[in-house]
Amino acid sequence: MPTTCSLCRRVITDEEIADPQVVQEHHLRPEERATSPTVLLCRPCHEQLHAVFTNAELRADYDTIGALRAADRLEAYLEWIRGTDKLDINVTTSDRVREQRG
């Protein structure tokens, strides 16, 4: 059965789902796994979220799909990813996130 990424809303086909990492569970409140709601994301979206936001930012300000979709930092990415069928992308952690993880 196809799966839809909760963030970009792309449909992942049954053939693609054969790859066990193509659809990933994302905890909307990272580091609170026991109580955090989860959503299914395609691998690129999950990687992108963790490249542009710290876990603290995700917990505090982006703990819903609506908040993530509205995030300025994801606007260009979401526009781009929706127009492609790529399930593997090169993601670079932002300098700001890298510094905060320090």
Side-chain angles (χ1 to χ4, degrees):
M1 172 181 263
T3 300
T4 301
C5 174
S6 295
L7 185 59
C8 70
R9 297 183 178 142
R10 294 185 307 154
V11 175
I12 311 303
T13 65
D14 290 339
E15 293 79 27
E16 294 165 321
I17 293 173
D19 174 351
Q21 293 299 310
V22 76
V23 176
Q24 302 177 348
E25 186 176 48
H26 171 68
H27 290 84
L28 289 168
R29 287 187 219 107
E31 299 171 4
E32 295 178 8
R33 289 179 177 264
T35 58
S36 175
T38 61
V39 293
L40 293 178
L41 302 179
C42 65
R43 179 177 30 228
C45 284
H46 199 206
E47 291 175 356
Q48 186 71 12
L49 287 184
H50 288 286
V52 299
F53 299 109
T54 64
N55 284 347
E57 290 172 319
L58 289 168
R59 278 192 313 276
D61 299 318
Y62 301 101
D63 65 346
T64 67
I65 285 297
L68 289 167
R69 283 190 195 129
D72 290 344
R73 285 184 244 167
L74 292 178
E75 185 176 1
Y77 164 78
L78 287 172
E79 184 176 326
W80 171 77
I81 199 71
R82 287 176 181 142
T84 183
D85 60 356
K86 293 181 182 233
L87 293 172
D88 286 301
I89 62 172
N90 291 324
V91 175
T92 303
T93 301
S94 73
D95 289 339
R96 184 190 54 72
V97 169
R98 197 175 307 110
E99 288 168 8
Q100 289 183 18
R101 288 181 185 159

